[in-house]
Amino acid sequence: MRNIADDRVHLTREHAFELLRQMTRIRRFEEKCAELYTQEKIRGFLHLYIGEEANAVGVISTLSEDEAIVATYREHGHALVRGLPMNEVMAEMFGKAAGSSRGRGGSMHIFSARHRFFGGNAIVAGGLPLAVGLALADKMVGIERATCCFFGEGAAAEGEFHESLNLAALWHLPVLFVCENNLYAMGTALARSQSNPSISERAAVYGIESEAVDGMNVVDVEAAARRAVHAVRRGEGPRFIEAMTYRFRAHSMFDPDLYREKAEIEEWKKRDPIMLFADWALSAGILHQDDRQEIEAGVAQEIDAAVAFAEAADWEPVEDLVKDVISPPETVP
Ligand SMILES: Cc1ncc(C[n+]2csc(CCOP(=O)(O)OP(=O)(O)O)c2C)c(N)n1
């Protein structure tokens, strides 16, 4: 059982195992997706999260299951950690009817109201007002829980970012904003587009307590998220975390990745969040080499089963093509 009530991170063997297992699930799932994409089994857009896993895992492990999560189009990892079955996520990638969005959303629109996972959203910054609305609903009915919203630093240049932070602060709403700052918005380096590249400072001008954290270190992310989520739950209003991270792959499968030096990518890979955490846990004697092997074997099995499930799943029948697309005509009294 996850320990979500305490402000401190307790690195028991079980917890460390789970952090490493979840990061490994995301990494291997996405490596498989990249392979399936080149085989044209997965079509459309595909944005990989590889390198950023510590953020989804560190933050979501502090949330209770009924606390809503809103994410961007780089959301496979967030969906998996939230508990959407890998079979449903993989079937969605394939566009099959058994997918979490019935195959209609694809990689960018993984959604499950059942898991209080509200996207998956192709619109940059589109999730922020949604999160503010979810938090407002909770506040209006008096439910004490946090809504957690993930987005990139590119979203912080959008009007919706400012409008959402303003209303969340003004109305004292229970939202945790998590900016995953990977330094690039498609091919645009943050330092080339923003006069002040600190996103947490930008959030602070709205009176929101904010902190920047090492997004390659899952324990640091979890510690910051615990403090923030508890403050939000206590009714102290919104909190903001800027997680400093990096994506090891291109923006999407279509991106030739020509806007950054290979040496820069290699430098960041030395801080691979999975490698960093595994090495530390092994040297501290919290985890053992056998644990790593057990995790890899379990994840490989889960992925094989998900691919087999997605391959065997049905396409939506052609007769359903316009189902839920056009609303039925209103009957005029
Ligand atoms: C409103 C809007 N404008 C532009 C785009 C095109 N676009 C897609 S991804 C992206 C960059 C977003 O970068 P960031 O928010 O930092 O997220 P990251 O991809 O780094 O995770 C842009 C401009 C879009 N999808 N939506």
Side-chain angles (χ1 to χ4, degrees):
M1 191 56 206
R2 287 176 306 147
N3 160 32
I4 55 165
D6 202 320
D7 254 6
R8 290 157 305 164
V9 181
H10 290 281
L11 280 169
T12 58
R13 184 187 165 279
E14 287 67 35
H15 188 54
F17 189 93
E18 191 55 12
L19 292 175
L20 186 59
R21 192 179 78 86
Q22 293 292 6
M23 289 196 288
T24 307
R25 282 177 86 223
I26 303 174
R27 176 73 56 95
R28 303 286 174 252
F29 176 86
E30 291 207 327
E31 286 168 349
K32 189 62 174 182
C33 288
E35 194 185 310
L36 293 163
Y37 194 84
T38 58
Q39 296 167 12
E40 299 189 5
K41 297 264 174 74
I42 295 176
R43 316 286 285 264
F45 284 95
L46 180 64
H47 304 85
L48 300 178
Y49 190 56
I50 291 175
E52 304 187 39
E53 297 90 343
N55 302 300
V57 174
V59 173
I60 297 173
S61 57
T62 72
L63 301 175
S64 64
E65 283 168 8
D66 68 335
E67 287 179 311
I69 296 174
V70 180
T72 70
Y73 46 81
R74 205 180 292 288
E75 88 288 27
H76 316 134
H78 308 78
L80 290 174
V81 188
R82 167 34 63 102
L84 274 72
M86 194 183 280
N87 283 1
E88 280 181 28
V89 179
M90 189 60 93
E92 190 58 40
M93 310 294 278
F94 274 64
K96 298 287 184 82
S100 51
S101 303
R102 303 206 338 255
R104 293 177 169 214
S107 157
M108 295 205 279
H109 301 104
I110 294 167
F111 183 100
S112 174
R114 186 169 104 241
H115 294 90
R116 290 190 55 76
F117 187 77
F118 298 102
N121 195 325
I123 305 301
V124 171
L128 282 105
L130 201 67
V132 168
L134 286 159
L136 175 62
D138 278 349
K139 182 160 175 141
M140 287 171 77
V141 294
I143 301 178
E144 287 173 1
R145 63 183 173 192
T147 290
C148 179
C149 182
F150 291 92
F151 52 92
E153 84 293 340
E158 293 278 356
E160 279 172 302
F161 171 90
H162 296 277
E163 292 168 3
S164 300
L165 264 62
N166 178 55
L167 281 187
L170 184 69
W171 293 342
H172 222 61
L173 299 180
V175 198
L176 171 61
F177 295 104
V178 181
C179 176
E180 300 186 84
N181 183 352
N182 62 18
L183 302 174
Y184 293 90
M186 294 179 90
T188 306
L190 178 63
R192 278 178 172 267
S193 64
Q194 298 298 315
S195 59
N196 177 357
S198 168
I199 312 295
S200 46
E201 280 179 20
R202 206 175 304 177
V205 301
Y206 288 97
I208 299 178
E209 205 169 302
S210 49
E211 81 172 287
V213 65
D214 179 0
M216 305 308 262
N217 183 328
V218 69
V219 180
D220 283 3
V221 174
E222 184 181 335
R226 275 183 183 274
R227 288 191 292 274
V229 166
H230 290 152
V232 169
R233 284 190 199 131
R234 281 195 299 267
E236 293 176 21
R239 291 287 165 119
F240 194 100
I241 292 174
E242 178 184 13
M244 305 308 297
T245 188
Y246 200 78
R247 60 171 160 72
F248 295 166
R249 300 286 186 113
H251 167 75
S252 74
M253 296 300 278
F254 291 120
D255 169 17
D257 210 358
L258 300 175
Y259 44 81
R260 55 184 189 173
E261 299 292 336
K262 298 276 171 288
E264 179 184 291
I265 305 173
E266 292 313 311
E267 255 332 282
W268 276 91
K269 280 187 176 168
K270 291 182 190 156
R271 307 204 47 249
D272 181 322
I274 299 181
M275 186 185 77
L276 274 187
F277 182 68
D279 288 353
W280 172 83
L282 289 180
S283 65
I286 297 174
L287 292 179
H288 192 262
Q289 201 56 45
D290 293 351
D291 293 323
R292 284 201 81 171
Q293 279 150 13
E294 187 185 328
I295 287 172
E296 290 289 356
V299 168
Q301 236 177 29
E302 191 185 8
I303 290 171
D304 285 350
V307 174
F309 175 85
E311 295 264 18
D314 292 327
W315 299 104
E316 195 172 18
V318 172
E319 308 81 77
D320 286 356
L321 191 64
V322 294
K323 194 173 159 215
D324 302 329
V325 174
I326 301 161
S327 63
E330 301 246 339
T331 37
V332 183

